Amino acid sequence: MKIATWNVNSIRIRLEQVINWLQENPVDVLCLQETKVVDIDFPKSAFESLGYHLYQSGQKAYNGVAILSRIPLTEVSSGFTPVLGTEDEALILDQQKRVITGVMAGIRIINLYVPNGASVGSEKYVYKLQWLKRLREYIGLLLQKQPAELVVCGDFNIALEDRDIHDPEGKANHIMASEPEREALRAILNLGLTDAFRKFTADAGHFSWWDYRAGSFRRNLGWRIDHLYLTPELYKRAIACTIDSTPRKLPKPSDHAPVIVEL
DNA sequence: ATGGCTTCAGAATGAAGA
């Protein structure tokens, strides 16, 4: 079974590229982030023609997550509130559409678009840390349910280690690399999740995002911020995890590349 | 480089992304 994650930076702009990629890479599940479209306007039929079921939580202009699955999902929900309850903070955080989950083949898929955070110390940075704290509670509660085998994937907007950054020097106060962000992510992983990519590849120089500016992709000046985290049984089962930079080479690409785990 | 691209929204000397 293959499960992939891809921040497409607008599903409508990227539709043809995503369809073409799925034809070349017929994964069982594709988790999308930054769809940037309200549910009614999602280009649904193109994916249904390819044999995928679509589950989505979108909004106008920003954010938006979706799951495409060959097998229908069960127990689908979006946002924190179905798990954390409708208390004030979860309700406020759920105004931004960044979370969707569903179950297939005894595996719960959690698809995330973690807030970017703008810059260290900004209001958006505080929001990012607050969001990550609630995410930890959310995942903790889902781990207590069945199935407790989880694939937690998406655009985390965090490079956990220096080997995940092309130039880690002086990034201690940089968004996506600051210690409070890394600590928040480590606290989540301490619930019992492990990075699928690092099971197979230990060296630096592997990235999933490259800035549109300054020829960053051509020069491989990237960051590895898109992740697939697995619970122990799934981690044992994983036989490959790769980043496919092919679509990043196309004209008008997403700034992120898809990441695929094979179980 | 406190913004070099890209997207959306809607009319900006824009906001947001990462």
Side-chain angles (χ1 to χ4, degrees), chain A residues 12-251:
Chain A
R12 287 178 293 182
I13 292 286
R14 225 65 65 200
L15 180 59
E16 192 183 342
Q17 290 185 22
V18 178
I19 292 289
N20 289 343
W21 188 81
L22 279 173
Q23 285 174 328
E24 293 286 316
N25 304 272
V27 294
D28 297 279
V29 175
L30 176 59
C31 294
L32 301 170
Q33 303 89 35
E34 280 208 273
T35 51
K36 294 188 173 179
V37 67
V38 292
D39 293 355
I40 189 83
D41 291 330
F42 194 105
K44 190 177 181 180
S45 59
F47 296 102
E48 289 177 340
S49 302
L50 284 182
Y52 286 94
H53 301 267
L54 169 68
Y55 307 89
Q56 53 168 325
S57 177
Q59 68 181 87
K60 187 165 77 170
Y62 305 114
N63 311 316
V65 284
I67 303 177
L68 296 164
S69 178
R70 292 201 168 277
I71 303 172
L73 300 184
T74 60
E75 297 176 60
V76 175
S77 68
S78 57
F80 289 138
T81 50
V83 175
L84 296 183
T86 54
E87 40 83 16
D88 288 352
E89 193 182 71
L91 277 170
I92 290 166
L93 294 177
D94 279 354
Q95 289 172 4
Q96 299 186 16
K97 306 307 180 191
R98 298 178 175 279
V99 179
I100 189 166
T101 182
V103 172
M104 58 94 66
I107 301 169
R108 174 172 290 281
I109 313 278
I110 302 176
N111 176 21
L112 305 171
Y113 175 45
V114 176
N116 165 283
S119 58
V120 173
S122 67
E123 239 174 73
K124 287 177 182 167
Y125 181 77
V126 174
Y127 181 95
K128 181 178 194 174
L129 295 178
Q130 178 192 22
W131 195 93
L132 288 165
K133 192 177 168 192
R134 300 318 299 258
L135 176 64
R136 186 177 189 277
E137 295 171 29
Y138 171 85
I139 293 172
L141 287 168
L142 286 176
L143 277 166
Q144 292 169 24
K145 296 186 176 182
Q146 289 301 319
E149 293 302 330
L150 265 49
V151 175
V152 182
C153 68
D155 175 3
F156 283 75
N157 275 318
I158 298 172
L160 195 56
E161 301 175 303
D162 283 354
R163 60 178 167 164
D164 300 321
I165 310 174
H166 69 89
D167 176 19
E169 204 81 358
K171 294 293 192 299
N173 215 28
H174 192 291
I175 199 66
M176 305 188 292
S178 72
E179 186 52 29
E181 294 169 74
R182 287 177 166 180
E183 183 50 41
L185 181 49
R186 276 195 294 268
I188 291 166
L189 301 186
N190 283 343
L191 293 169
L193 294 162
T194 309
D195 185 345
F197 184 79
R198 288 302 184 198
K199 178 174 180 178
F200 307 99
T201 307
D203 58 333
H206 301 275
F207 310 121
S208 65
W209 172 82
W210 300 260
D211 199 304
Y212 282 125
R213 296 162 294 186
S216 297
F217 181 68
R218 180 175 47 78
R219 299 153 66 202
N220 197 28
L221 306 182
W223 294 58
R224 197 174 70 87
I225 56 175
D226 300 87
H227 306 296
L228 290 143
Y229 293 114
L230 309 176
T231 46
E233 276 309 307
L234 296 179
Y235 187 79
K236 268 184 240 166
R237 272 173 57 187
I239 53 175
C241 184
T242 54
I243 301 168
D244 182 7
S245 57
T246 315
R248 189 64 180 77
K249 299 168 183 164
L250 297 170

